Amino acid sequence: MSVKSCTMDTSMSAYVFVVILSLISTITNAGLSKPSVLFIVVDDLRPALGCYGNSLMVTPNIDNLATKSVLFNNTFVQQALCGPSRTSFLTSRRPDTTHLYDFYSYWRKAAGNFTTLPQHFKQNGYFTQSVGKVFHPGVSSGHTDDFPYSWSVPAYHPPTQAYKMAKVCPGPKGNVYMDIVCPVTVKDQPGGSLPDIQSREFAVNFFKNMSANHSQPFFLAVGFHKPHIPLKYPKEYRDLYPLNKIKLAHHHTFPLRLPLVAWNPWTDLRERDDIKALNLSFPFGPVTKDYQLLMRQSYYAATSYMDSQVGLLLDALHTHGFSNNTIVVLVGDHGWSLGEHQEWSKYSNFEVSVRVPLIIHVPGLTDKHTDITFQYKDPLKQVHVKYRNHSRSNLVQTQREKIDIQKNYFKEYNVIRSKEFSLKKYKVSNDLMELVDLFPTISELAGLPVPSTCPPNPFKIDLCTEGSSAAKLIQSISHTDSSRQSTGLRWKSAVFSQYPRPSVEPQENSDKPHLKDIRIMGYTMRTQQYRYTEWVQFDPATFHMNWSRVYGTELYLRNSDPDEAENMAYFSSYAELRSSLSRVLHEGWRSVLPT
Ligand SMILES: *[C@@H]1O[C@H](CO)[C@@H](O)[C@H](O)[C@H]1NC(C)=O
Ligand SMILES: *[C@@H]1O[C@H](CO)[C@@H](O)[C@H](O)[C@H]1NC(C)=O
Ligand SMILES: *[C@@H]1O[C@H](CO)[C@@H](O)[C@H](O)[C@H]1NC(C)=O
Ligand SMILES: *[C@@H]1O[C@H](CO)[C@@H](O)[C@H](O)[C@H]1NC(C)=O
Ligand SMILES: *[C@@H]1O[C@H](CO)[C@@H](O)[C@H](O)[C@H]1NC(C)=O
Ligand SMILES: *[C@@H]1O[C@H](CO)[C@@H](O)[C@H](O)[C@H]1NC(C)=O
Ligand SMILES: *[C@@H]1O[C@H](CO)[C@@H](O)[C@H](O)[C@H]1NC(C)=O
Ligand SMILES: *[C@@H]1O[C@H](CO)[C@@H](O)[C@H](O)[C@H]1NC(C)=O
C-alpha cells in the first residue's frame, strides 16, 4: 500500500508543482503577501443550505460565499461526534490514529505529538487565534484548546455559552425550561446576548486589531455553536419557516433490515425538558409528528441565525480590507438526523450524520475579482416580508380560505426562491472529500509546505497527513467555466467514517460510549454509488478491530435509495458486490488513493 502512495506522489509531483506555482503566482500577481485564512467551523451543520439545493433554507450569506467559492457536494467526516471529528480534521489523522472516539483523552498524551492545522500555520509565521468552539474544549484539547501549540494567544470562548444547559427557554406562565426548541428574546437572556453573537463580535474586533497591522498574515478559526442543541436563537428567525411549510423527513421510519447495532437512541435529546414531556419510549421513540416539525423548524431557524453571524463576519473581513487576500473555508463538524430513519442527532454512520457542507473560497482563484465584497444580507429581509404582508392583508374567514391563502403564498414564495436558484452559479465538485483532506488542502492553497502522506502507525511522526490535498481539484474547477462539473482529475474513489458502540442492542450509552466500554466499531465506506458498513468486534485496550467477528452489515444503493431506507446487505443477489466492497473497506483509505 505504501508503494502505491509513493507511486502517486512521484507521478503527480510534476503536476502538483505546476499547480503550486500557479497558485502562488495568482496571489503574488495581485501584489499581495501570504494569504490569511478564515476557517469557519459550524457545530452539527448538515448541508441544509440554499446553496446545497435546499430551497426551503434562507441562508443568503453562506450562499453568497458559495458563489465565490468551490462547493464540495460530497464531503464526509471521519466520525459523527464533535470531539473525535474535530481532533481528526485538525490533526489530519483518522480516529484509529488519534485514538479518540470519545471526549476523554488528549491526543498529545494518548496517541502522539501530532501537529495541528493551526499549529502548522503558526510555525510558518502566522498569527493564529481560536474563537468559539474550534477544538472540542476540555480534556480532548488538553483543557487549553491546545494552546500554546496551536494558537498565538489563548482561545476565546463566548461567556454566554455557560448557559448551554440552563433553564432559559421561555414556556407557558412565564416559566423557563431546558428545552431543545428554544426561540428567545435576546435581550432577556442571561448576559443579554447569545454565544454566536459574542463570538462574531470578538472576531470582528480581531479584524479591527489586525487591520492596524497587515504585516503578519493570520489564521483565524471561528467555531459557531448553532445549530447544535439547544436550538436557541432569536425568535424572529422562526418566522422564516412557517410551520405548515415544514415537512417530515422524506424517510422517517425505521429502515428495513437495519441491524440494531447501527441504531443511535439520541440520548442527549431525551435529557431536555420538552422531549422528556413527550414520554417517548427508549430506544426507538418515535417523536410525535408535531414535535418533529417543531424541531425541524428550529433547526432551520437556528441555521439562518448562524448564517446572519457568518454574514456579519464576512462583511467585517471586507470592511477591514482583508477579503481579497483571505482564504475562507466553511465546514460542518458532522451532520444531524432530522427524523430520518426515525432518528435524531448524530451518533451514527448514516449519510445524514456523516455528510457535511464544505465551501472553499480562494481569492484570485475561485473568484477572480480584485475587490471581493461580502456585503451582509439580513436573512430576515430575504423572503418572509412578502409573507407577512400577504397574510396580514387578507382577512381570513374560514379554515378552507386560510389553506388557500397559504397555498398561494407558498407558490409565490417558491417562485421567488427557485428563480434565484437558477440564476446562481455555483462551482460544484461532486468528488468524494473527507475532512482529513482539509489540512493538506488549506496548506497548499496558502503556499505552505504540504505534509506528506502518513505511513502506517504514524504515532512517532509529528507532521503528516492521512488525507490528500484537493488544491488541484479546486484549481481545475475554478478554471472551468461550466459549473456543476466533476473535474475528471484522478481522485480517491472512496471515503471512510466510523462509529463505536458498547453493545449490539441499543442502550443508554450507545451514542457516546467511553473508550473502555467500546466493544464494536462500525466502519463505513462511501463510494459514488454505495454506502457499505460493517460493525465488527473492537478491543479498546489494543485498538484492534476483528473483521472476522461481524455484528451487522449494511449496504445502501445510493442511486435508487438515497434515503438509505433499505439495507440490501443480506440479499444473496448482492453477495458479489458486498464482498468486493468489503475488501476495499478492510484495505482502507490507502488503497483508494489515485494512482
Ligand atoms: C449534490 O449531491 C446530492 C446528493 O448526493 C445530489 O442529489 C445533487 O444533485 C448534487 N448537486 C449537484 C449540484 O451536483
Ligand atoms: C510536542 O511538539 C511541540 C511543538 O513542536 C514541542 O514544543 C513539544 O516539546 C513536543 N512535546 C513532546 C512531549 O515531545
Ligand atoms: C484588540 O486589541 C485590544 C488592545 O490591544 C485588546 O485589548 C483586545 O483584546 C483585542 N481584541 C481582539 C479580539 O484581538
Ligand atoms: C504587528 O506585526 C508584527 C510582526 O508580526 C508584530 O511584531 C507586532 O506585534 C504586531 N503588532 C500588533 C499591534 O499586533
Ligand atoms: C407524560 O407522563 C406524565 C406522567 O406520567 C403525564 O403527566 C403526562 O401527561 C404525559 N405526557 C404525555 C404527552 O403523554
Ligand atoms: C483589494 O481590495 C481593495 C478594496 O477593498 C482594493 O482597493 C485593492 O486594490 C484590492 N487589492 C488587490 C490587489 O486586488
Ligand atoms: C410590507 O410591509 C412593510 C411594512 O409593514 C412595508 O414597508 C413594505 O413596503 C410592504 N411590502 C410590500 C411588498 O407590500
Ligand atoms: C476474531 O473473531 C473470530 C470469529 O469470531 C474469532 O474466532 C477470533 O478468535 C477473533 N480474534 C480475536 C483476536 O479476538
Side-chain angles (χ1 to χ4, degrees), residues 537-558:
Q537 188 180 47
F538 182 85
D539 181 345
T542 61
F543 299 97
H544 284 145
M545 71 292 278
N546 182 356
W547 293 117
S548 309
R549 184 71 188 92
V550 184
Y551 297 90
T553 310
E554 295 166 79
L555 169 63
Y556 300 104
L557 313 178
R558 295 213 36 100

Side-chain angles (χ1 to χ4, degrees), residues 143-186:
H143 296 286
T144 61
D145 298 79
D146 200 41
F147 175 79
Y149 301 115
S150 288
W151 311 111
S152 304
V153 288
Y156 170 81
H157 289 286
T160 55
Q161 181 62 6
Y163 307 109
K164 181 184 173 189
M165 301 299 280
K167 291 185 183 289
V168 294
C169 313
K173 297 181 194 158
N175 293 334
V176 282
Y177 298 88
M178 187 185 84
D179 288 344
I180 294 272
V181 172
C182 189
V184 299
T185 303
V186 176

Side-chain angles (χ1 to χ4, degrees), residues 33-273:
S33 54
K34 264 190 178 162
S36 289
V37 177
L38 172 58
F39 184 75
I40 303 171
V41 46
V42 188
D43 217 0
D44 289 19
L45 179 67
R46 67 193 238 160
L49 298 168
C51 56
Y52 276 81
N54 187 330
S55 60
L56 183 68
M57 295 308 298
V58 183
T59 50
N61 296 289
I62 296 174
D63 296 355
N64 183 43
L65 171 66
T67 61
K68 307 172 199 299
S69 307
V70 169
L71 184 153
F72 286 95
N73 193 33
N74 274 319
T75 305
F76 300 89
V77 304
Q78 269 47 65
Q79 186 183 325
L81 185 63
C82 307
S85 176
R86 288 163 190 255
T87 295
S88 167
F89 68 72
L90 289 164
T91 61
S92 200
R93 321 248 179 157
R94 295 164 197 266
D96 283 338
T97 304
T98 64
H99 287 171
L100 186 76
Y101 313 100
D102 59 14
F103 301 102
Y104 309 106
S105 63
Y106 182 29
W107 75 90
R108 292 191 193 274
K109 289 185 180 150
N113 197 21
F114 308 148
T115 300
T116 70
L117 171 64
Q119 183 184 359
H120 189 50
F121 276 79
K122 188 178 174 217
Q123 288 171 347
N124 280 279
Y126 280 65
F127 186 86
T128 61
Q129 163 92 60
S130 170
V131 175
K133 184 171 169 186
V134 179
F135 281 99
H136 193 85
V139 184
S140 337
S141 52
H143 296 286
T144 61
D145 298 79
D146 200 41
F147 175 79
Y149 301 115
S150 288
W151 311 111
S152 304
V153 288
Y156 170 81
H157 289 286
T160 55
Q161 181 62 6
Y163 307 109
K164 181 184 173 189
M165 301 299 280
K167 291 185 183 289
V168 294
C169 313
K173 297 181 194 158
N175 293 334
V176 282
Y177 298 88
M178 187 185 84
D179 288 344
I180 294 272
V181 172
C182 189
V184 299
T185 303
V186 176
K187 67 172 175 32
D188 296 342
Q189 284 294 295
S193 191
L194 292 175
D196 288 342
I197 296 175
Q198 294 184 313
S199 290
R200 184 260 303 161
E201 286 169 347
F202 185 93
V204 169
N205 276 331
F206 173 88
F207 294 144
K208 207 177 286 170
N209 283 3
M210 293 306 281
S211 68
N213 194 358
H214 274 260
S215 63
Q216 191 180 14
F218 61 79
F219 181 103
L220 173 66
V222 180
F224 287 117
H225 290 278
K226 292 307 106 177
H228 192 291
I229 65 164
L231 299 168
K232 183 170 65 181
Y233 55 89
K235 65 179 188 321
E236 52 276 19
Y237 285 88
R238 194 175 39 179
D239 298 348
L240 294 173
Y241 304 98
L243 257 189
N244 42 8
K245 185 89 177 93
I246 311 279
K247 296 193 184 85
L248 294 180
H250 189 247
H251 177 82
H252 55 268
T253 53
F254 196 88
L256 284 176
R257 298 174 292 273
L258 183 75
L260 282 187
V261 65
W263 181 258
N264 122 55
W266 30 280
T267 315
D268 59 342
L269 267 75
R270 297 169 194 270
E271 291 163 1
R272 296 270 160 179
D273 293 340

Side-chain angles (χ1 to χ4, degrees), residues 159 165 248 268 311 414 486 519 592:
M165 301 299 280
L248 294 180
D268 59 342
N414 280 335
S486 272
R519 294 292 174 273
V592 301

Side-chain angles (χ1 to χ4, degrees), residues 3-15:
V3 174
K4 264 190 190 169
S5 62
C6 284
T7 316
M8 180 205 76
D9 288 344
T10 333
S11 66
M12 293 200 106
S13 61
Y15 182 72

Side-chain angles (χ1 to χ4, degrees), residues 434-498:
E434 322 174 78
L435 294 197
V436 284
D437 299 331
L438 286 175
F439 189 152
T441 302
I442 301 169
S443 299
E444 185 171 346
L445 291 170
L448 263 55
V450 182
S452 55
T453 304
C454 296
N457 302 313
F459 301 107
K460 299 252 180 304
I461 301 172
D462 289 357
L463 180 64
C464 69
T465 174
E466 295 186 339
S468 306
S469 171
K472 57 193 170 296
L473 292 182
I474 293 171
Q475 200 200 32
S476 162
I477 295 164
S478 302
H479 290 164
T480 354
D481 279 332
S482 61
S483 62
R484 301 173 185 280
Q485 285 296 311
S486 272
T487 55
L489 283 177
R490 306 273 308 154
W491 183 246
K492 57 178 81 178
S493 55
V495 290
F496 301 83
S497 313
Q498 63 192 92

